[in-house]
Amino acid sequence: MSTSESRVIIVGGGVFGLSTALWLARDGYRNVTIFDRCSFDKNYYNPADGCDGASADINKIFRATYGSQEHSQDLALEARDIWLEWNRSIKESLPSDLPRPLTPEDELLTLCGVYHLADGPDLVGRYVENLRAMEESAPSFRNLQFIKDNGSDEERVKTLGPEWARKYHLFDKFRDGATNGFLDAGSGITLADKACVYARHLCEQAGVKFILGRPQGELQHLIIEGYGSGKRVTGIRTCDGLSHSADIVIVACGAWSSSVVPESHRSVEATMGTIMFIDIPSDRKDLRERFHPDNFPVWRFIQGDGDGSYEGGGFPITKEGRLKFGFRARKFTNFQDHPTQDNLRISTPQTKYSPEPINTVPLYGLELMKQVIGGLLPELTKIGFTDSRLCWYTDSIDNEFVVDYVPGYSDSLFICSGGSGHGFKFLPVLGKYVKNQLERVPDRFTSLWKWRTVEEGKQCNGLEEGEAGPREMSKLRMAKPQDFQFPIKNSSTLSDHLQQLTLGPKTKSHL
């Protein structure tokens, strides 16, 4: 168990590592060091400059709607307060006091709203539950949520200002109006890369040390001593040949977690979501204005179940003119040999910056995205998608985080992972509760975040499938450059078309 005197090494400088380090250092831990193979002090978490972790992104959604998962809702609302404090602190800072590339004009959290949409005229059960839970536990936040096509909510939203009344009606004509949902004016977007830059800055101010870049910051392997009940991790060896001693090693490697801790491959799994971009030309000021956060919210859309279903969304435009879209209804795996464990195959991230780089996305998700985005935002079809990214998440068996000591290492190895595609919003506060688990101080998250693995015979968020599952990338057709353009040219139904995008007979979607 850790104490403030413990020598702590954290492997991974993303959200989980940064938040943990910050809360430890601010509470008196004097020897905390983060190692990461990425040179965040030089590339500033820029996903276009060699960063391929999920935390390194241009933006992330902030929402607090979690239905019956009140613990996550409360954690999001707690984080929201700190995000807004960070905004105020940055705004009041001198430019020289901020880390590059932050400026006092940057908002880490922009409350541009999130529009939750779904196919069909009746409010889907997920949205009904989200609104009910908010009404019961956070009524003041519920007052910032407005149901689509609801007369009284239409009047209420006008009290927030004309820009919110316009946002409320943005999607009225989509699917000829046969959609349901609600606008959440209390939510929005975080600037992911700049938020990580700021959190790293706060960590340094609190005394956290960073060893970044290759080879000095890149993990070669854990240093393990002893056997049986006496086995311990005593530090790490980096790719420059140096050894670094520690009392506790915290693995916060996101989608690479099971590559470092093989025992965790049945607790967390690397899964890939499809991300596409449309870069709006600088001379299209009309589109840049239309999609500005002042005029356009984050949007999410869900449609159907099974093959051909859709769950994804899009973001307002960035200062650089980039629109981002994501598809997550079906997340894919990529099984490879484990780097240190013989006879073990695990899902392993493959990105633009991998030794064997990949510069495209599965055609399955891309075709669905073109169908939805082409119908929702037809003015973008002439431009087409201009870039793509495989965003590698870290799914746990139940979408709850895995924050606990790894069994069998005498409390010397700790895992902090399993973001499951919704962890970034908790950056300002997550480490507060990670620290409790490190120090074995029980709280409401202890039972939820404890070490757990796939249970045979049960559905476990896809982790039960293994390499034989239908999501494995080797079974997929990948998009070619011409596939990035609109419109989709179907010679059959969408369902039939999607069936043709996988290799092998009768492959089913896993959602």
Side-chain angles (χ1 to χ4, degrees):
M1 185 178 74
S2 71
T3 69
S4 60
E5 302 301 316
S6 299
R7 297 168 300 164
V8 179
I9 283 177
I10 300 175
V11 184
V15 164
F16 281 72
L18 288 170
S19 191
T20 298
L22 180 60
W23 282 88
L24 290 177
R26 283 183 168 178
D27 203 45
Y29 281 69
R30 294 185 293 273
N31 195 337
V32 179
T33 305
I34 288 180
F35 288 79
D36 201 291
R37 59 182 169 80
C38 285
S39 300
F40 295 134
D41 53 337
K42 299 176 182 177
N43 57 33
Y44 311 118
Y45 290 85
N46 184 350
D49 193 15
C51 300
D52 51 7
S55 296
D57 204 344
I58 58 174
N59 45 36
K60 297 285 190 183
I61 189 172
F62 177 89
R63 64 178 173 94
T65 50
Y66 273 93
S68 61
Q69 297 171 301
E70 190 174 330
H71 59 283
S72 293
Q73 172 188 293
D74 292 348
L75 192 63
L77 292 174
E78 184 178 357
R80 184 180 186 270
D81 289 340
I82 303 178
W83 280 114
L84 296 176
E85 287 178 13
W86 285 4
N87 278 356
R88 288 189 288 270
S89 179
I90 290 170
K91 184 177 182 180
E92 295 169 0
S93 296
L94 295 172
S96 58
D97 291 335
L98 293 173
R100 293 182 61 191
L102 275 176
T103 71
E105 289 73 39
D106 286 317
E107 282 189 339
L108 298 185
L109 171 62
T110 298
L111 298 177
C112 61
V114 177
Y115 215 129
H116 301 265
L117 289 165
D119 197 35
D122 299 322
L123 199 63
V124 296
R126 183 190 308 184
Y127 295 166
V128 171
E129 178 63 15
N130 285 342
L131 296 171
R132 181 205 60 77
M134 275 291 176
E135 181 68 38
E136 291 183 358
S137 57
S140 61
F141 197 87
R142 173 65 180 85
N143 288 337
L144 296 173
Q145 297 169 331
F146 306 90
I147 299 173
K148 184 177 180 291
D149 300 324
N150 180 288
S152 61
D153 278 9
E154 182 177 12
E155 292 302 312
R156 283 199 310 117
V157 77
K158 292 177 182 177
T159 65
L160 297 185
E163 70 278 15
W164 287 104
R166 288 191 294 269
K167 288 180 179 180
Y168 178 80
H169 288 292
L170 273 176
F171 306 112
D172 285 356
K173 296 181 180 179
F174 180 48
R175 300 281 170 92
D176 295 323
T179 58
N180 66 89
F182 66 96
L183 172 62
D184 183 347
S187 297
I189 52 172
T190 57
L191 295 182
D193 49 358
K194 290 185 177 181
C196 287
V197 166
Y198 189 64
R200 193 176 82 81
H201 171 67
L202 296 180
C203 282
E204 288 186 321
Q205 288 184 324
V208 177
K209 297 180 285 293
F210 286 83
I211 299 179
L212 302 173
R214 291 185 169 101
Q216 65 276 4
E218 184 173 13
L219 176 72
Q220 186 178 85
H221 60 77
L222 302 174
I223 299 173
I224 302 172
E225 297 182 358
Y227 299 92
S229 61
K231 184 171 65 174
R232 294 184 58 84
V233 171
T234 59
I236 67 171
R237 186 174 180 85
T238 46
C239 289
D240 58 356
L242 296 181
S243 297
H244 308 268
S245 298
D247 299 307
I248 295 173
V249 173
I250 299 174
V251 175
C253 298
W256 288 266
S257 293
S258 56
S259 297
V260 177
V261 182
E263 295 92 337
S264 71
H265 80 284
R266 302 296 276 169
S267 296
V268 293
E269 181 175 70
T271 64
M272 180 273 292
T274 304
I275 304 295
M276 302 300 298
F277 303 97
I278 295 179
D279 293 293
I280 304 299
S282 58
D283 62 352
R284 291 301 306 271
K285 293 182 180 179
D286 58 328
L287 291 180
R288 289 197 172 202
E289 180 69 16
R290 166 162 161 66
F291 294 109
H292 189 278
D294 289 346
N295 304 314
F296 205 81
V298 180
W299 61 271
R300 307 175 78 201
F301 181 67
I302 56 177
Q303 169 189 281
D305 295 302
D307 285 329
S309 68
Y310 186 91
E311 181 171 352
F315 291 75
I317 201 166
T318 66
K319 290 180 179 179
E320 297 74 24
R322 171 159 280 199
L323 290 169
K324 170 184 161 185
F325 306 91
F327 170 73
R328 290 187 54 206
R330 189 179 189 187
K331 293 188 285 186
F332 302 101
T333 56
N334 179 46
F335 277 79
Q336 304 291 327
D337 291 335
H338 193 279
T340 62
Q341 185 81 19
D342 293 337
N343 301 315
L344 178 61
R345 301 268 291 176
I346 62 169
S347 183
T348 306
Q350 186 178 5
T351 75
K352 292 181 178 180
Y353 309 115
S354 297
E356 296 181 5
I358 184 168
N359 289 287
T360 185
V361 298
L363 190 56
Y364 177 93
L366 178 58
E367 294 285 33
L368 274 169
M369 293 174 77
K370 288 195 291 187
Q371 284 277 345
V372 171
I373 296 166
L376 185 68
L377 306 169
E379 62 268 51
L380 298 177
T381 58
K382 289 184 179 180
I383 301 175
F385 293 118
T386 51
D387 198 4
S388 66
R389 182 189 185 195
L390 302 183
C391 186
W392 287 92
Y393 305 100
T394 320
D395 281 351
S396 71
I397 63 174
D398 52 12
N399 289 325
E400 299 287 357
F401 307 150
V402 180
V403 181
D404 200 355
Y405 287 95
V406 179
Y409 290 93
S410 303
D411 285 4
S412 63
L413 180 61
F414 192 89
I415 188 169
C416 187
S417 189
S420 303
H422 70 117
F424 194 96
K425 67 178 72 66
F426 305 119
L427 168 61
V429 73
L430 179 64
K432 174 181 178 181
Y433 301 100
V434 174
K435 178 177 174 290
N436 282 350
Q437 314 316 313
L438 271 167
E439 295 177 347
R440 296 197 184 280
V441 177
D443 60 28
R444 68 190 299 189
F445 301 104
T446 302
S447 61
L448 295 167
W449 295 353
K450 67 182 180 181
W451 177 268
R452 57 207 185 278
T453 59
V454 169
E455 296 183 44
E456 296 301 326
K458 290 188 177 181
Q459 290 189 347
C460 296
N461 202 22
L463 273 75
E464 76 281 359
E465 292 176 356
E467 189 169 3
R471 300 178 299 150
E472 221 291 314
M473 283 178 61
S474 63
K475 297 180 171 69
L476 305 175
R477 293 183 180 177
M478 306 302 286
K480 297 178 181 179
Q482 60 266 30
D483 295 317
F484 281 29
Q485 300 306 308
F486 294 82
I488 298 175
K489 296 179 180 179
N490 282 338
S491 59
S492 56
T493 67
L494 177 60
S495 178
D496 290 340
H497 183 64
L498 293 171
Q499 286 281 350
Q500 298 168 13
L501 303 183
T502 56
L503 303 181
K506 298 182 180 179
T507 300
K508 296 182 178 179
S509 296
H510 179 87
L511 304 176

